[in-house]
């Protein structure tokens, strides 16, 4: 697993770690039961505080992507179909919100926006 962090953007480091591990799980790069590096090892590799990696792992566990066992480590949890669907829906919502903002900037009406969506829809015959 290759995690790249950037100090240039405004995104907190723990969020970058969270997002990259989550993406690796959702893409199948990390599979159910795979062990994650220990918090200390990951902190050392990324040259960040253990507190930072601990927070990322806690967020991943809270979101249901990993399971942590005292004395054993952290492992990829079974990501169910419903969780995957919810993640995709959240992503689609954020993309649509961005598209709505752009549509508003150029004065596109609701009807024009919906027609544009219907025109682009891949399931449309």
């Amino acid at each position: 697993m290759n995690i790249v962090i950037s100090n240039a953007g405004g995104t907190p480091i723990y969020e970058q770690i969270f997002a990259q591990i989550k993406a690796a799980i959702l893409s199948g790069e990390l599979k159910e039961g795979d062990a994650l590096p220990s918090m200390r090892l990951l902190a050392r590799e990324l040259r960040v505080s253990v507190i930072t990696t601990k927070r990322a792992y806690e967020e991943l566990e809270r979101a249901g992507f990993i399971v942590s066992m005292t004395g054993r480590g952290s492992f990829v949890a079974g990501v169910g179909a419903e969780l995957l669907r919810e993640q995709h829906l959240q992503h689609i919502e954020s993309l649509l919100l961005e598209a709505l903002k752009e549509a508003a900037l150029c004065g596109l009406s609701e009807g024009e926006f919906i027609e544009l969506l219907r025109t682009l829809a891949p399931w449309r015959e």
Side-chain angles (χ1 to χ4, degrees):
M1 176 176 56
N2 185 28
I3 296 176
V4 178
I5 56 173
S6 170
N7 293 320
T11 307
I13 294 172
Y14 82 91
E15 285 183 14
Q16 293 177 49
I17 296 168
F18 171 88
Q20 291 179 52
I21 293 175
K22 174 183 158 185
I25 293 169
L26 292 176
S27 73
E29 179 185 341
L30 290 174
K31 304 203 180 331
E32 181 177 349
D34 284 353
L36 296 178
S38 73
M39 290 178 216
R40 291 182 199 285
L41 176 62
L42 185 60
R44 195 173 329 120
E45 288 175 356
L46 297 177
R47 296 186 179 143
V48 299
S49 164
V50 174
I51 295 169
T52 302
T53 56
K54 183 176 188 292
R55 182 158 182 202
Y57 277 32
E58 286 171 346
E59 294 293 323
L60 286 162
E61 189 164 21
R62 193 172 301 124
F65 288 103
I66 68 170
V67 175
S68 296
M69 296 178 230
T70 305
R72 293 194 51 210
S74 298
F75 302 87
V76 176
V79 179
E82 191 57 37
L83 180 59
L84 284 173
R85 179 173 165 71
E86 183 60 32
Q87 292 295 320
H88 287 290
L89 285 174
Q90 287 177 357
H91 182 67
I92 291 167
E93 286 174 6
S94 68
L95 293 172
L96 283 172
L97 283 172
E98 189 63 34
L100 285 168
K101 289 176 189 175
E102 290 293 321
L105 284 174
C106 70
L108 205 64
S109 71
E110 179 182 344
E112 290 170 321
F113 183 84
I114 291 171
E115 185 56 37
L116 179 60
L117 182 60
R118 285 187 177 134
T119 302
L120 296 174
W123 56 85
R124 185 180 166 97
E125 295 193 25

